[in-house]
Amino acid sequence: MNQFDLTGKVALVTGASYGIGFAIATGFANAGATIVFNDIKQDLVDKGIAAYAAAGIKAHGYVADVTNEDQISALVAQIEKEVGVIDILVNNAGIIKRIPMIEMTAAEFRQVIDIDLNGPFIVSKAVIPSMIKKGHGKIINICSMMSELGRETVSAYAAAKGGLKMLTRNIAAEYGEYNIQCNGIGPGYIETPQTAPLRVKGNAFNDFIIAKTPAARWGKTEDLQGPAVFLASDASDFVNGHVLYVDGGILASIGKQPE
Ligand code: NAP
Ligand code: GCO
């Protein structure tokens, strides 16, 4: 028996038209799962469906905003009807705003918290009742280095991702007895459009990250596939409430010593 096999499982990955969500969903499909994703706009969903098809994957894509409870309960009902009960949820949809805290408006702060923290609460809440009925479920929250560390300009994002780490533990504590495992993945600095402004050639931040990462490189979205398949599969049935940092070693290191 292959403990990492996802055959017959339905996986919903939020905000998975491209980037980390797309790579994780592709990893799940390669392990046998049926892929469902949502995104905020129809053109993103269309692009996502085309990208999955190009990778040989028939994905089911829907438009839904993770911050809208009505849209999310309608989405989950539609998925259950058209595809099946969701076995695996990945709360991936997220945004970042890089603004010094004293220049950030409360509305901007709230928007980040709404998408990055309230969103996972709303989507998890919508899928857990059917997971309880089915007798199992896997929830993976995409956390961040900023679940552990602070840095200039990302106060709202760090507050949201720190909160998401605790939501992860709380779901594990509250629903573990129903054979639901909720874990997080904390990606390090990964090459996606979200980090494109930081990777511009000659940008000192680019060199800073490479120096800070023991692996001495930016992560690739594919680096997250194996860890995600593990946390979605039977192989992790007694792993609950953890955040698995996939960061090339950043959190293990104090940084390179001066020459
Ligand atoms: P991303 O640019 O953060 O995009 C995620 C997707 O979510 C996009 O398609 C986005 O649409 C969508 N989205 C935004 N708001 C939404 C909403 N309200 N409802 C539904 N979908 C929504 O891509 P990423 O860099 O691959 O990041 C994915 C996740 O990993 C995020 O949670 C991010 O914080 C986290 N993460 C990223 C890194 C990294 O280095 N890249 C590291 C650690 C953690 P739009 O394109 O319209 O915004
Ligand atoms: C930033 C980055 C980070 C990463 C990631 C780190 O501005 O510091 O964008 O927030 O995207 O979340 O794990």
Side-chain angles (χ1 to χ4, degrees):
M1 183 191 127
N2 176 0
Q3 280 197 304
F4 299 92
D5 186 15
L6 301 181
T7 304
K9 308 280 188 201
V10 174
L12 167 63
V13 187
T14 66
S17 302
Y18 65 88
I20 289 175
F22 178 83
I24 287 177
T26 303
F28 287 171
N30 292 338
T34 301
I35 301 308
V36 185
F37 72 99
N38 74 299
D39 222 310
I40 186 117
K41 293 177 232 133
Q42 187 64 51
D43 63 320
L44 276 175
V45 171
D46 294 342
K47 272 189 205 149
I49 288 176
Y52 286 107
I57 299 161
K58 189 191 166 309
H60 305 259
Y62 301 88
V63 177
D65 180 340
V66 296
T67 67
N68 184 317
E69 269 198 283
D70 292 339
Q71 283 183 25
I72 292 303
S73 40
L75 171 73
V76 170
Q78 192 177 1
I79 295 168
E80 289 190 358
K81 197 162 145 234
E82 294 178 359
V83 190
V85 169
I86 295 159
D87 301 284
I88 302 158
L89 164 67
V90 182
N91 284 309
N92 167 76
I95 62 163
I96 189 165
K97 287 187 188 292
R98 299 185 184 98
I99 305 171
M101 196 183 107
I102 58 173
E103 291 166 24
M104 190 173 220
T105 65
E108 287 166 333
F109 189 91
R110 267 192 214 109
Q111 193 196 354
V112 176
I113 300 287
D114 205 22
I115 297 173
D116 294 4
L117 182 56
N118 292 347
F121 160 74
I122 288 169
V123 188
S124 301
K125 186 186 153 186
V127 303
I128 287 172
S130 292
M131 288 180 168
I132 291 175
K133 272 195 211 127
K134 204 171 173 182
H136 78 90
K138 299 277 185 183
I139 299 176
I140 302 172
N141 291 327
I142 303 303
C143 299
S144 166
M145 294 288 83
M146 272 62 216
S147 299
E148 300 292 338
L149 303 170
R151 95 168 182 84
E152 298 97 312
T153 75
V154 296
S155 57
Y157 186 78
K161 295 294 187 179
L164 186 57
K165 173 181 71 177
M166 286 313 300
L167 179 66
T168 302
R169 291 183 181 163
N170 213 88
I171 293 172
E174 198 162 348
Y175 297 105
E177 67 181 294
Y178 299 101
N179 193 25
I180 293 172
Q181 290 84 46
C182 180
N183 292 290
I185 289 181
Y189 281 79
I190 311 291
E191 289 172 353
T192 72
Q194 193 238 55
T195 55
L198 306 177
R199 283 182 285 110
V200 179
K201 235 187 153 50
N203 182 342
F205 195 88
N206 186 54
D207 300 340
F208 165 71
I209 287 302
I210 292 169
K212 191 93 185 121
T213 308
R217 65 169 174 88
W218 282 76
K220 300 193 178 312
T221 55
E222 294 75 23
D223 289 320
L224 301 163
Q225 288 176 322
V229 169
F230 166 62
L231 292 177
S233 72
D234 295 349
S236 60
D237 278 355
F238 205 53
V239 179
N240 215 351
H242 275 273
V243 179
L244 175 50
Y245 290 97
V246 185
D247 64 354
I250 296 177
L251 288 178
S253 166
I254 195 170
K256 266 205 174 315
Q257 59 187 57
E259 295 288 303

